[in-house]
Every structure is written in structure tokens, then in C-alpha cells.
Amino acid sequence: MNIDLSALYGNDEMREMLKAKLSAKSISHAYGIAGPRGSGKKTLAFLLCAALCCEEETTRPCMRCPSCKKILSAQSPDFMTLGIEGVPPLLPDAKSIAALTDAPKKEAELPKSIGVDAIRAMQADAYIKPNDLERKLYIIGHAERMTVQAQNALLKILEEPPASVVFFLLTENPAALLTTVRSRIQMLKTEVFCDEQLQDYLLQEDTHAKALAKKDPAQFRLLLHLANGCIGNAKAYIKATAKELAADPVYEAHVTVTQCLACVFAKELPNDSPVLAKDTHLPRKTELLGILASRMETREQLRAGLDALLLALRDFTVCTLLLEDDSVPMLFFEDAAQPRALGETVSPNVLAEVSAELNVLRASLDANPNVGLVQERIAELLMKLRFGGI
């Protein structure tokens, strides 16, 4: 039997292991799939569910038989999902079944936690024998959001699972799962990719990516970089409208920090910088406060902005210490040219001091601080980068 998991890009070693397990019919009763948002966790879970119940004998999942279509459109009573934002577009005739599938939920519409009642309902259903598919299949998205009580309820069925039942727990943070739960599941980890790999894949597979790369190559490269190595994130960014991008905290934080750095380092910026325009005036704290006040108005925006700023300072530090070594990937900047040029104007000691103080400020956001005071402190620390003191 041929097991085809090629719809999941990359992840070669994991795919080969799972293909061998499926061919040998030695699949586990429960899997944890860990990885960042958009890294293919949901795609892998749906593919494995389809492969387990596919009606074809030659290639599984065939994506065409009734069982595959029911699973890949989440339309079987023996297939239950919890805490996921819709189904991945895996079916070759997806347009013909589009009316049957639920519209993907936005992150804001998902519950902040998964309670014990939802897990108990899933547990009760698991003891009912399958009557539509070969197995009973359950996917729990954002499994790290399960309360302790919910995880303990799930633990009971993981310890003594009914026959023909398989659970998939998708999580961005496996450490948030109880140790006892993690010990009862086989953990898989999805792969992330460099910007070049994302670009190669999207330019072959995604028409929106091809169009954007031709129309606005600088924006295309930026969105790939912000995707954090995840295909799902990259596709979402590329298809997003200007309004949707403006509402995305990661994208907005990058734009905000870019503007702040443009203000602070105006004289040192290279002429070919696509975003940080070269200027001649010295930065003023009032200018920085104007940017921060208009773009970091909430604690969520402050948190995302501080995260982005810390990534930028990390790039400065790496380029300062490693000098001409381009093998270390940049986390904020697309390449090492800008952070190397800017990092040369800041001493390593000042970089370390500002980074440490920004980390303290980031932690203080959990204590509900005054937003204006946080903005003012960020401006002071940015000025310190330029002048070495406040």
C-alpha cells in the first residue's frame, strides 16, 4: 500500500516515519502535533485521519472516496473537531463541497479555554462504536487551552482508549500540557522553513503569491519574512487585504518598529532601504512618542511591538558580534545589511542594557501598567540606542 502525505510540504523525516507506521497498521491511539501557527499541524492531522479511513487499497488517502471526502470536509458523525478554525483545503474538488463546510473561524472567535464539559462530551462519544467510518477520530486544536480539569478528563480516556479511536492534539506550546497527558501521546513536531524555501513553494503553488511577487516584490519578501517560516501564515498574509494587515499585531508591530528605527537611525541608514528612508535630522523623543501613541495604543499592541523591537535588537547584536558572518538568519530584518550598518553605531554594552530593560518592560505588561508611561519609556530606551544615554 502506498501512503501519500505529500500534501504536507517538507517534514520529510516525519512523513516517512508515519508512512511506515500506517503501512504496518501500527498507528498510536493518540498523537500530539506541535508547531507554530500556520506550520501544518491541522493539515497533517486531517491527512492522517483520511489515511486511516480511506477506502482505497492502493494509495491512501486517495482524496476521492466517500470516507476521505467526509473527513476532509469534517462531515462525518465519527469525526469530531474541537477548537479549530475550519478545514484545510485538501480536497481536489473543494469548490463542489464548499457549501458543506463551515466558514473558518477567526482566532478572536475561538474560546479562550477548552473546558471539561467539551472534553467529557467528546469522551462519551468515543465509547460509541463507529458506524460511518472505519474509526472514531478526534482533533483538538489549541490543546494548550484545555483547563487542568479538561486535561485530567482527557487523561482517563487516553489511559484506556476504546478500540478504533484516535486522538490528535494540536498545540503551539506542548509544555502547557500536563506531563501525564504528554506521556500518553506520541509527540510530532512540524517543520518551519527559511524565507527562500517559502518563496520557492509559494511561487510554484499559490497564484496570489505569484501575483504579489510580480506587483510588489518588496511587500512579498516582507510578508514571507513575517510568516515565521510557516506556509499557512505566509498564505494568510499574502491573501490579506490592507485592512486585515492593519489589524494583524505582528504586521503592525513590524511597521511600527521600522518607523521608530527610521526615526532613531535616520542618518546611518543605507540609501537602498525600501522602508527606512534616509533623512538628515536628529531624532527627537517627541517624534518617537508620536509614532508610539498612534500605533501602540493598547497593551496587545505594546506587547507585539516590544517583541518585534527585541527581535530587531537581537539582529543588531548578532551582526555586531559576528561581523561578516551571514550564515545566521535574521529574525526581524530580511537580511544582515541594515542591522550590520545600524549595529555599528551602537556599542554592545548599550545593546545589552536596552534589551534587558525592554524585557523587563515587556514582563510588566502583565501587571496592567499605564500605557502612556510604557510608551514614554520605550521612547527613552530608543533614544539611548542612538546616544548611549538618556
Side-chain angles (χ1 to χ4, degrees):
M1 180 193 305
N2 177 41
I3 304 297
D4 183 8
L5 301 179
S6 59
L8 178 71
Y9 178 67
N11 296 275
D12 296 337
E13 185 175 338
M14 179 175 64
R15 283 192 295 157
E16 290 304 313
M17 180 273 292
L18 289 170
K19 287 164 63 175
K21 292 281 187 182
L22 287 164
S23 296
K25 297 184 178 180
S26 60
I27 204 78
S28 174
H29 70 282
Y31 288 93
I33 305 179
R37 183 189 67 171
S39 62
K41 301 186 298 296
K42 185 168 58 177
T43 293
L44 176 59
F46 272 75
L47 280 174
L48 291 175
C49 288
L52 285 169
C53 295
C54 180
E55 298 170 27
E56 278 288 331
E57 291 298 327
T58 54
T59 298
R60 291 187 171 195
C62 69
M63 309 289 202
R64 297 182 301 274
C65 71
S67 292
C68 279
K69 289 185 176 182
K70 288 176 181 177
I71 289 171
L72 298 177
S73 60
Q75 296 295 320
S76 171
D78 293 329
F79 177 72
M80 183 182 294
T81 65
L82 180 65
I84 66 169
E85 303 95 326
V87 300
L90 292 168
L91 285 168
D93 55 344
K95 291 182 180 179
S96 66
I97 64 153
L100 301 176
T101 61
D102 294 331
K105 295 180 181 179
K106 295 181 180 179
E107 179 73 15
E109 298 172 353
L110 293 170
K112 296 299 182 183
S113 64
I114 298 175
V116 66
D117 290 341
I119 297 300
R120 284 174 178 164
M122 183 175 282
Q123 183 183 41
D125 183 78
Y127 287 102
I128 302 173
K129 291 184 178 180
N131 55 34
D132 185 49
L133 299 173
E134 186 178 336
R135 296 173 181 265
K136 300 294 288 282
L137 303 163
Y138 302 91
I139 298 177
I140 303 175
H142 300 285
E144 70 278 358
R145 297 185 183 180
M146 286 190 292
T147 63
V148 172
Q149 294 82 359
Q151 292 192 52
N152 281 322
L154 181 65
L155 181 61
K156 295 177 181 178
I157 196 169
L158 292 179
E159 290 175 333
E160 297 182 10
S164 301
V165 170
V166 183
F167 287 92
F168 296 92
L169 280 62
L170 317 186
T171 178
E172 295 178 28
N173 181 19
L177 300 177
L178 295 176
T179 303
T180 47
V181 171
R182 294 202 306 269
S183 68
R184 299 299 191 281
I185 61 179
Q186 182 175 340
M187 190 62 70
L188 307 172
K189 186 176 181 181
T190 52
E191 183 180 359
V192 295
F193 306 98
C194 67
D195 292 358
E196 290 74 18
Q197 289 172 309
L198 286 180
Q199 176 175 298
D200 290 344
Y201 173 82
L202 290 169
L203 291 181
Q204 291 181 25
E205 304 290 336
D206 193 287
T207 55
H208 293 88
K210 295 175 185 177
L212 181 61
K214 184 176 181 179
K215 178 182 178 182
D216 191 344
Q219 177 74 347
F220 177 65
R221 291 193 304 271
L222 172 60
L223 296 179
L224 286 186
H225 193 64
L226 295 183
N228 195 29
C230 299
I231 290 173
N233 290 347
K235 287 182 174 180
Y237 276 135
I238 286 167
K239 293 178 183 177
T241 63
K243 184 178 180 180
E244 289 169 335
L245 285 175
D248 181 81
V250 174
Y251 180 84
E252 277 298 282
H254 193 280
V255 172
T256 301
V257 171
T258 295
Q259 290 183 358
C260 288
L261 294 176
C263 179
V264 172
F265 292 103
K267 293 185 68 174
E268 288 81 8
L269 293 169
N271 288 319
D272 60 353
S273 172
V275 180
L276 307 186
K278 190 175 179 65
D279 204 345
T280 58
H281 73 281
L282 290 175
R284 295 192 300 270
K285 183 179 172 182
T286 52
E287 292 180 76
L288 288 170
L289 281 173
I291 297 171
L292 295 171
S294 65
R295 306 191 69 92
M296 289 193 190
E297 302 175 275
T298 67
R299 278 185 292 278
E300 181 184 12
Q301 290 172 327
L302 283 169
R303 188 174 286 109
L306 285 168
D307 287 343
L309 184 53
L310 285 164
L311 291 180
L313 295 191
R314 174 269 182 195
D315 287 354
F316 287 173
T317 304
V318 167
C319 290
T320 300
L321 296 177
L322 300 182
L323 300 177
E324 299 302 320
D325 185 357
D326 290 330
S327 63
V328 179
M330 297 293 98
L331 301 183
F332 180 86
F333 295 90
E334 294 178 38
D335 57 53
Q338 286 187 3
R340 181 171 292 130
L342 303 184
E344 289 176 354
T345 69
V346 186
S347 76
N349 287 340
V350 170
L351 277 173
E353 290 170 9
V354 172
S355 295
E357 293 190 55
L358 287 172
N359 272 308
V360 172
L361 199 60
R362 171 69 167 77
S364 75
L365 294 178
D366 295 331
N368 197 23
N370 180 281
V371 169
L373 292 178
V374 175
Q375 292 170 345
E376 185 165 351
R377 185 57 180 156
I378 293 172
E380 291 173 348
L381 291 171
L382 285 168
M383 295 294 287
K384 184 175 181 177
L385 279 179
R386 176 65 181 269
F387 299 112
I390 296 176

